[in-house]
Amino acid sequence: TTFTLRVPLTLAVTPAVLVRAGGAAYAVPVAHVRGTRDPRDVPAPAPLARLLGRDPGPEPPGDVVLLDRPGAPPLAVGVDRVDGQADCVVKPAPAVRAAFRTAAGATILDGGEVALVLDVPALLARLTPPPAVRP
């Protein structure tokens, strides 16, 4: 008996912080996370769900994740909760990338739920106004 296992080379494993925001699961690569905070310690964090174009709901954030911004203070984003950290197998998905310009791909969590892996530099670029053009 011969078994052939073909593993696509497009898979990558990345450590990520697993969060919930706006009722959906997301994986934020650890390389872009400076830390987490209690929401009482951070005045008015930006709701991650709103940054991603979703309804954050009426509830205040349960946790705050600090996203690293090179050359600037970290951006505090409010999430429903932080579910911990995991090594995620990231599958790039062009259709997902086209629909959600802030997603680098998708991963399947332990319970079988699909989570979008956030492209934090793309998310931060959407928040930064473009530079003014000089005549």
Side-chain angles (χ1 to χ4, degrees), residues 42-115:
V42 180
L48 180 61
R50 184 171 292 130
L51 296 177
L52 297 171
R54 297 182 60 107
D55 179 20
E59 297 297 319
D63 289 303
V64 173
V65 177
L66 301 176
L67 300 180
D68 197 20
R69 294 188 296 182
L75 175 67
V77 294
V79 298
D80 298 342
R81 71 176 188 258
V82 174
D83 286 339
Q85 187 174 336
D87 288 330
C88 297
V89 176
V90 181
K91 175 66 175 161
V96 170
R97 179 86 174 150
F100 302 96
R101 298 193 188 281
T102 55
T107 189
I108 299 175
L109 303 177
D110 288 339
E113 182 179 16
V114 175

Side-chain angles (χ1 to χ4, degrees), residues 1-65:
T1 303
T2 302
F3 292 97
T4 303
L5 178 65
R6 295 176 193 241
V7 179
L9 296 176
T10 59
L11 294 178
V13 176
T14 186
V17 175
L18 305 175
V19 300
R20 292 208 160 269
Y26 298 97
V28 184
V30 169
H32 300 290
V33 175
R34 175 116 14 127
T36 59
R37 296 285 186 270
D38 186 292
R40 294 174 293 203
D41 297 338
V42 180
L48 180 61
R50 184 171 292 130
L51 296 177
L52 297 171
R54 297 182 60 107
D55 179 20
E59 297 297 319
D63 289 303
V64 173
V65 177

